Amino acid sequence: MFIRIGGGILYSFLEYAAYVTYFPQLVAGPIVTHDVLVPQLQDEERKHLDFNYLSKGIILFTFGLAKKVLLADVFGNFVNLAYADVNALNATTAFFAMLAYTFQIYFDFSGYSDMAIGLGWMMNIDLPINFDSPYKALSVTEFWKRWHMTLTAFFTKYVYIPLGGNRKSVVRTYVNIFIVFLLSGFWHGAGWTFILWGIMHGLAQMLERILKKYWSKLHPAFSWLMAFVFVNVAWIYFRAESITDAHIILAKMLSFHFGAISSEMVAVFSQPEWMLLWSKFAPGVLETYNNINMVLYFAVAAVMVLAFPNAKYVAEKCTSKRSTPFLVALLLTWCIFSFTGVSTFLYFNF
């Protein structure tokens, strides 16, 4: 039995079934079309065990799991407490809650993609990169060339180009951009918060095109700061239970009524392994180790998203190093012992 898919391409039923069952969570990505995946399933050379693919697949899978278990879920616990009662927040807590969600959704979603690509490598399948250090972007437009890249490609191919892309008038181009990001909001959920988030990103890209001549003259540091702040603020609407809650969080930050972060929220960063390390090597700071842990988590997360290369590139380079098996085994063991309380992937909710 053969099945014909778009463009007259003919696949056997088994090939078609293998393709459609490869992604139990299609919306989470990487989103891969049949013309990319099925030829790999047909390739006879890929049907034999390849230790190079297997090793780098295990490495990348472990990196993705670590992002999810050791970083995203810890930040997520802080975010859940903050968003549970937005009226109780002060400016300090609101700011850290915003930044925590920025890190949570990145490490959660990019971790999922790394795990998917890693599993693909283990089976000799090459899946496209889905994240390319998006928080390094110098504009919102560049951000979307680095964030959920397969979704951007999907909307470009099936929505933006059929609408005319940028081949029509300037006004029509802006309308097409707006439609794409409005649909992106609906893609993530039917709530007004998601729709407003999509509208915000659409308007930001339109504004960048209008001001392109001036934007290109800005210092890169200033361009990055403006883009990063916008993405952070937009994430507030994406995460909030309602638009009203998002407004309250922004109002709290702009009130400049700074204060202490509750001990309950700070305590989410106090993982058992850190307690053991502090008691072993620096027992004198045990009274304040909760606060130290929180600062370290945010600092490490910032360094990872702004200074480190993409995990896929790191995994490809690590296969030849002798220390890699030991370090990967250590990291994987750490993740396994941290499984208690692990949540589902964020994108499974959209």
Side-chain angles (χ1 to χ4, degrees):
M1 181 186 296
F2 291 90
I3 297 175
R4 192 176 299 278
I5 305 179
I9 301 176
L10 198 63
Y11 298 137
S12 71
F13 176 77
L14 183 60
E15 291 166 349
Y16 174 76
Y19 167 68
V20 297
T21 57
Y22 198 87
F23 300 99
Q25 285 286 344
L26 176 63
V27 296
I31 301 171
V32 184
T33 53
H34 63 92
D35 55 318
V36 173
L37 183 61
V38 177
Q40 297 186 60
L41 299 175
Q42 296 172 330
D43 188 350
E44 291 298 325
E45 293 185 2
R46 293 178 181 267
K47 296 180 181 180
H48 305 283
L49 181 63
D50 186 319
F51 284 101
N52 180 56
Y53 267 105
L54 181 63
S55 60
K56 68 180 185 179
I58 293 172
I59 295 170
L60 187 58
F61 178 87
T62 303
F63 286 167
L65 183 63
K67 286 183 180 180
K68 166 63 176 172
V69 176
L70 304 181
L71 292 170
D73 283 346
V74 176
F75 283 115
N77 292 333
F78 183 91
V79 171
N80 291 339
L81 289 173
Y83 278 81
D85 186 5
V86 295
N87 289 295
L89 302 178
N90 55 40
T92 308
T93 309
F95 171 79
F96 277 101
M98 175 189 72
L99 197 58
Y101 187 70
T102 295
F103 291 143
Q104 180 197 4
I105 194 169
Y106 172 73
F107 288 120
D108 187 285
F109 193 14
S110 70
Y112 172 91
S113 294
D114 289 344
M115 292 170 72
I117 295 170
L119 286 170
W121 274 345
M122 292 182 205
M123 295 182 283
N124 296 349
I125 298 295
D126 286 301
L127 299 180
I129 186 172
N130 208 27
F131 288 86
D132 189 12
S133 304
Y135 293 151
K136 296 178 183 179
L138 303 184
S139 67
V140 179
T141 302
E142 184 186 354
F143 170 80
W144 277 102
K145 293 178 180 179
R146 293 169 172 265
W147 176 276
H148 204 348
M149 296 158 67
T150 56
L151 177 63
T152 302
F154 179 86
F155 274 119
T156 299
K157 181 177 180 179
Y158 293 106
V159 179
Y160 184 67
I161 292 177
L163 286 173
N166 59 0
R167 303 187 304 274
K168 306 293 184 179
S169 66
V170 174
V171 173
R172 179 66 179 274
T173 299
Y174 292 155
V175 171
N176 293 344
I177 291 173
F178 185 81
I179 291 173
V180 166
F181 282 94
L182 179 63
L183 291 176
S184 180
F186 278 108
W187 171 280
H188 292 90
W192 285 110
T193 52
F194 297 116
I195 295 170
L196 182 56
W197 170 81
I199 290 173
M200 290 172 68
H201 275 275
L203 292 175
Q205 291 218 36
M206 292 164 59
L207 185 61
E208 284 181 355
R209 281 178 173 260
I210 294 172
L211 302 176
K212 185 177 181 179
K213 180 174 65 174
Y214 304 101
W215 189 274
S216 61
K217 296 179 180 179
L218 295 175
H219 190 281
F222 187 63
S223 300
W224 170 83
L225 182 62
M226 291 181 66
F228 187 67
V229 169
F230 171 82
V231 169
N232 273 264
V233 171
W235 281 138
I236 293 176
Y237 287 90
F238 191 87
R239 172 59 177 83
E241 296 296 328
S242 67
I243 293 177
T244 300
D245 281 1
H247 288 340
I248 292 173
I249 293 174
L250 285 174
K252 294 287 185 178
M253 285 192 290
L254 295 175
S255 71
F256 299 110
H257 292 156
F258 297 101
I261 300 175
S262 71
S263 57
E264 180 185 12
M265 296 179 71
V266 175
V268 304
F269 297 99
S270 303
Q271 304 301 304
E273 58 268 30
W274 301 125
M275 178 66 174
L276 291 174
L277 286 174
W278 286 123
S279 61
K280 178 69 175 178
F281 298 105
V285 302
L286 285 178
E287 292 184 1
T288 59
Y289 91 103
N290 283 357
N291 294 324
I292 295 174
N293 283 345
M294 177 177 169
V295 172
L296 286 176
Y297 263 94
F298 278 96
V300 168
V303 170
M304 288 185 66
V305 300
L306 297 177
F308 276 40
N310 188 279
K312 183 177 179 180
Y313 305 142
V314 175
E316 290 176 321
K317 292 179 179 180
C318 284
T319 54
S320 60
K321 296 183 179 179
R322 293 183 178 181
S323 60
T324 297
F326 171 77
L327 294 176
V328 169
L330 182 63
L331 187 59
L332 187 59
T333 302
W334 186 4
C335 290
I336 293 172
F337 278 103
S338 300
F339 274 169
T340 304
V342 173
S343 64
T344 59
F345 289 99
L346 286 178
Y347 254 66
F348 284 13
N349 299 320
F350 303 139

